[in-house]
Amino acid sequence: MSKILVVGGAGYIGSHMVKRLGQADCEITVLDNLSGGHRDAVLTGDFVLGDIADTQLLQGLFKRKSFDAVMHFASFIQVGESIQEPGKYYRNNVSNTLNLLEVMRDSGVDKFIFSSTAATFGEPRYSPIDEEHPQIPINPYGRTKLMVEQALQDYDLAYGLKSVCLRYFNAAGADPDGQLGERHDPETHLIPLVLMAASGRRPHISVFGRDYDTPDGTCIRDYIHITDLCEAHWLSLQSLLSGNPSQSYNLGNGNGFSVQEVIDAARRVTGKIIKVVDAPRRHGDPATLVADARLAKEKLGWAPKYADLETIIEHAWKFESR
Ligand code: UFG
C-alpha cells in the first residue's frame, strides 16, 4: 500500500486526487491550510491543517509518518492576481515549495508529483503545444511554476529526487459521482462561471474579447476532465514508484473549444437561458492554447475517458445543481 502525502488535497484538483488514491487503497495524508480548499472535500485519509511555509510542522509530519511520494497541489493560480501581487506568488508557489522539497530531502522522500501549467509556455509559437515547445512564461504565475520545474531538474541531478511535472491546460468538470466539484472563491474559470449564469447564481457570463484571431473571435482552450487529470497523476505516481526517471507531460485533449462554443455547449447541456455580456479582453490571455498530449499517452498509457466537452460540462452541471 503506497503512502502518499497530498499537499493541497482539500482544493479542486487535490480533493479529486485524494478520492482516486482512496479507491486504490493508498494510505493518504492530506496537508492543507484551507486558504482555498474545503475540509469537507477531503473524503478520505488523515487531514493535517497546516502550511508548507511552516518548516517545523513539515519536519514533525515527516518524522511522524513515512511517505513513498508527495503530490503537490497547493499553489495560487490566478494569472491576474499574480501580476498585481507577485510577492504572494513567488513566496508561496516558489519559496514554500522549496521549503517542502528541502524537508523531503532531509527525510529521504525522493518522489514528487508537481502541478504545473500551460502558462509556463507563454504565447504559443505553434499549436498544439508539445513538451518541446519553448517555455517563456508571460506572467508571474507562469514564471513561478517554471522556476519550480527548473529547481526539480536540479534536485534530480544533485540529490536524485525524481519528479513528474504535469502541465495542465484547462482543468474542468467534476467528479462523475457528483461528490466533488470546483469551488474556488472567487471563481475565475469559464465553465463554472457559465454554469452559475445558467443556474441563476450569477446574472450573466462575460465574454472577455471577441476580437481574437480565432474562427469566432473568442479564445480557444483545451478543457480536460478532472478525472482524466487525476488518472494521469495516478499513472505518473506508478511510473515514479517503479523507478522510472523524471519527466514532464502536457495534459489536454488536443481539442480546442472557443469561449462561445463552451457557452453554446452549456446551453445544450443545461437547457437554460445563459445571458452573455461582451467585455474587453482579459490581460494576458493567449488566443489559443491546445495541448499535444501524445507523450503522456505513449509513455504513461494515459487514455482520457471524458474527452467530450459536453460530458465535462454535464458533470460540472451536476455539481452546480446539487
Ligand atoms: N473567460 C471569459 N469569461 C470569464 C472567464 C473566462 O471569457 O468570465 C475566458 C478567458 O478569457 C479565457 C477562457 O475563458 O479565454 C478560459 O479562461 P479560464 O479563466 O477558465 O482559464 P485560463 O485559460 O485563463 O486558465 C488556465 C488555467 C490557469 C493557467 C492558464 C494558462 O486555469 O491556471 O490556463 O494561460 F494559468
Side-chain angles (χ1 to χ4, degrees):
M1 194 201 303
S2 303
K3 297 177 206 144
I4 311 297
L5 174 63
V6 185
V7 180
Y12 170 46
I13 302 173
S15 62
H16 286 79
M17 192 68 227
V18 167
K19 180 172 176 180
R20 175 66 182 85
L21 293 170
Q23 286 164 347
D25 281 336
C26 291
E27 194 179 308
I28 305 158
T29 304
V30 171
L31 173 66
D32 200 299
N33 65 6
L34 296 183
S35 65
H38 306 272
R39 177 65 184 88
D40 62 4
V42 182
L43 299 179
T44 179
D46 281 349
F47 181 82
V48 178
L49 178 66
D51 199 297
I52 50 171
D54 186 342
T55 310
Q56 272 191 340
L57 179 135
L58 284 178
Q59 285 169 337
L61 179 62
F62 278 76
K63 215 176 237 164
R64 255 193 349 268
K65 293 190 159 207
S66 71
F67 300 113
D68 299 310
V70 175
M71 292 184 154
H72 180 28
F73 297 94
S75 64
F76 295 127
I77 58 165
Q78 289 179 43
V79 171
E81 185 186 55
S82 79
I83 298 168
Q84 304 298 323
E85 290 184 68
K88 175 174 172 182
Y89 278 70
Y90 285 101
R91 196 169 54 243
N92 183 61
N93 294 6
V94 182
S95 174
N96 294 350
T97 298
L98 293 178
N99 205 36
L100 172 64
L101 291 175
E102 283 300 290
V103 176
M104 283 176 62
R105 189 156 79 84
D106 285 346
S107 319
V109 179
D110 61 359
K111 292 177 179 61
F112 191 67
I113 298 192
F114 179 59
S115 300
S116 191
T117 168
T120 58
F121 293 112
E123 278 294 337
R125 304 271 173 100
Y126 57 84
S127 185
I129 297 173
D130 59 15
E131 288 77 5
E132 303 305 312
H133 189 287
Q135 288 181 288
I136 311 171
I138 54 169
N139 50 59
Y141 169 66
R143 279 190 277 276
T144 62
K145 291 287 183 170
L146 181 57
M147 283 176 181
V148 174
E149 284 198 17
Q150 290 167 334
L152 287 170
Q153 287 174 18
D154 293 331
Y155 271 62
D156 188 356
L157 284 175
Y159 313 128
L161 185 135
K162 300 295 168 202
S163 63
V164 175
C165 295
L166 297 173
R167 301 182 190 127
Y168 314 155
F169 280 62
N170 286 62
D175 168 34
D177 303 335
Q179 281 183 297
L180 298 166
E182 202 165 354
R183 279 198 276 165
H184 294 114
D185 185 21
E187 188 54 76
T188 61
H189 292 114
L190 180 65
I191 291 179
L193 289 173
V194 170
L195 295 178
M196 286 182 205
S199 69
R201 283 212 287 156
R202 284 182 177 243
H204 61 259
I205 179 72
S206 299
V207 172
F208 296 147
R210 285 199 182 267
D211 57 349
Y212 284 95
D213 185 16
T214 60
D216 67 18
T218 64
C219 286
I220 292 178
R221 293 290 181 274
D222 185 342
Y223 296 90
I224 167 171
H225 195 290
I226 187 84
T227 301
D228 290 332
L229 205 57
C230 289
E231 205 51 34
H233 285 74
W234 171 253
L235 295 168
S236 302
L237 177 67
Q238 299 316 306
S239 168
L240 286 182
L241 293 175
S242 22
N244 286 310
S246 298
Q247 186 63 255
S248 297
Y249 297 106
N250 294 356
L251 297 179
N253 284 308
N255 286 323
F257 293 96
S258 73
V259 171
Q260 187 59 54
E261 285 174 325
V262 169
I263 296 169
D264 292 341
R267 286 179 171 142
R268 287 194 299 276
V269 169
T270 64
K272 302 279 184 189
I273 293 165
I274 299 174
K275 191 166 175 244
V276 172
V277 170
D278 289 346
R281 285 184 178 200
R282 191 173 65 180
H283 184 70
D285 275 341
T288 301
L289 281 175
V290 176
D292 178 341
R294 277 178 302 177
L295 192 68
K297 290 177 184 169
E298 279 163 28
K299 285 209 165 200
L300 296 173
W302 181 56
K305 258 170 78 180
Y306 304 111
D308 172 53
L309 179 65
E310 290 198 7
T311 308
I312 293 174
I313 294 177
E314 203 181 294
H315 291 167
W317 179 238
K318 193 160 145 189
F319 186 69
E320 169 66 18
S321 324
R322 75 200 181 277

